[in-house]
Amino acid sequence: MTDPATAPPSLQVSGLAYAYPDGHQALFGVDLTVARGERVALLGPNGAGKTTLVLHLNGILTAGAGTVTVAGLPVAKAHLAEIRRRVGIVFQDPDDQLFMPTVREDVAFGPAAAGIRGTELEERVRRALERVGMAEFADRPPHHLSFGQRRRVAVATVLAMEPEILVLDEPSSNLDPASRRELADILRSLEVTVLMVTHDLPYALELCPRSVVLSGGVIAADGGTQELLCDEKLMREHRLELPFGFDPRSVTVPVR
Ligand SMILES: Nc1ncnc2c1ncn2[C@@H]1O[C@H](COP(=O)(O)OP(=O)(O)OP(=O)(O)O)[C@@H](O)[C@H]1O
Ligand SMILES: [Mg+2]
């Protein structure tokens, strides 16, 4: 085991710039370091580049300029298989993630591709589904489940990989309040680095001591979540709005 104190950061993004093939530039030099075990929220308005950044973390998109490394390993074609074991992404839309005939097969897919077999595989699948409260759905086809249930299965597919860093793109959207809280409990219980893209600012405050604001393809702020949410000018400038009646000052959060 590596000593967490000396381990390389789970994620290091340096000078990352990216233009889509149609010429639209979405990222203009992003720098972001996430230490091992940190939970960081990635905030920002629609179109800021959050999903584009996420798609670089396991090599779905490759940097136009700059670098991404995961626990010291550069995200590059040569080690994509290892990178995909280390980086678990829960996509914005669970239908981008679930494609097998049953929930069980979807959750087993990643670990099986990584060479895990037999009882160890079964055990991983069972544990991951139990964590998200979906064990009894193991034999159902994912496309028969509700959106929220599919999101929970999508989280299980990633937990089953036991990744170095868990990246979630708007994990709380479309979840009912109890499922939203249960997902928060799961995330808090994991000893894993988390990068969570969210428009749900109370969720960011509850779960992530640190937040980063991405706006117009650049990092506009990086600091304590409570501090950022209380900065009215910053919030206004980047179209970040708190829900009606929510006062971030009134919430007691764990120190950063
Ligand atoms: N496939 C694509 N081709 C061209 N431009 C794209 C493509 N996908 C996204 N973009 C553009 O890149 C920019 C960043 O998009 P991205 O999806 O990363 O934003 P986001 O921060 O995730 O937004 P949201 O909060 O709505 O999910 C936007 O201006 C978007 O229109
Ligand atoms: Mg997005």
Side-chain angles (χ1 to χ4, degrees):
M1 277 301 279
T2 32
D3 174 2
T6 56
S10 285
L11 179 66
Q12 188 145 34
V13 178
S14 308
L16 180 65
Y18 180 77
Y20 280 100
D22 70 353
H24 181 91
Q25 187 154 355
L27 300 175
F28 293 83
V30 170
D31 296 306
L32 174 63
T33 300
V34 180
R36 193 141 203 216
E38 256 195 305
R39 281 199 302 270
V40 179
L42 181 60
L43 311 178
N46 290 139
K50 303 179 299 295
T51 297
T52 306
L53 173 58
V54 164
L55 295 177
H56 281 84
L57 305 184
N58 75 351
I60 296 174
L61 296 179
T62 41
T67 56
V68 179
T69 60
V70 175
L73 187 70
V75 177
K77 279 219 173 64
H79 5 81
L80 270 197
E82 176 59 22
I83 288 291
R84 288 181 184 171
R85 272 197 287 279
R86 293 185 186 192
V87 182
I89 301 186
V90 179
F91 294 106
Q92 199 160 354
D93 182 350
D95 296 338
D96 289 343
Q97 196 134 21
L98 306 175
F99 49 85
M100 296 298 279
T102 65
V103 164
R104 181 194 312 283
E105 288 164 279
D106 256 325
V107 178
F109 186 86
I116 293 164
R117 297 279 182 273
T119 48
E120 194 192 341
L121 181 60
E122 279 168 38
E123 200 36 38
R124 282 237 198 161
V125 171
R126 193 188 56 75
R127 266 203 317 266
L129 283 173
E130 263 174 15
R131 287 208 103 133
V132 300
M134 291 297 289
E136 68 202 78
F137 293 81
D139 296 313
R140 301 269 300 270
H143 61 273
H144 286 179
L145 305 182
S146 76
F147 187 93
Q149 290 169 334
R150 293 203 298 284
R151 163 67 52 64
R152 287 154 67 161
V153 173
V155 172
T157 63
V158 167
L159 293 182
M161 295 295 287
E162 301 180 355
E164 157 87 23
I165 179 165
L166 187 57
V167 181
L168 304 116
D169 199 346
E170 301 192 21
S172 64
S173 67
N174 292 293
L175 292 187
D176 64 35
S179 307
R180 177 179 174 279
R181 184 192 44 74
E182 284 159 9
L183 180 60
D185 292 342
I186 294 166
L187 295 177
R188 251 194 307 266
S189 74
L190 298 171
E191 281 179 42
V192 64
T193 311
V194 172
L195 181 67
M196 183 174 90
V197 175
T198 190
H199 295 293
D200 182 343
L201 300 176
Y203 212 54
L205 183 58
E206 185 185 342
L207 279 170
C208 302
R210 174 181 163 207
S211 285
V212 170
V213 176
L214 185 69
S215 188
V218 295
I219 302 286
D222 182 345
T225 302
Q226 191 161 35
E227 185 191 323
L228 296 190
L229 298 191
C230 291
D231 183 339
E232 288 173 20
K233 181 165 173 282
L234 176 85
M235 296 284 284
R236 222 179 8 257
E237 275 172 6
H238 302 291
R239 297 176 55 79
L240 298 170
E241 283 190 15
L242 296 164
F244 177 74
F246 180 78
D247 179 1
R249 272 165 285 258
S250 69
V251 178
T252 312
V253 290
V255 277
R256 196 176 161 190

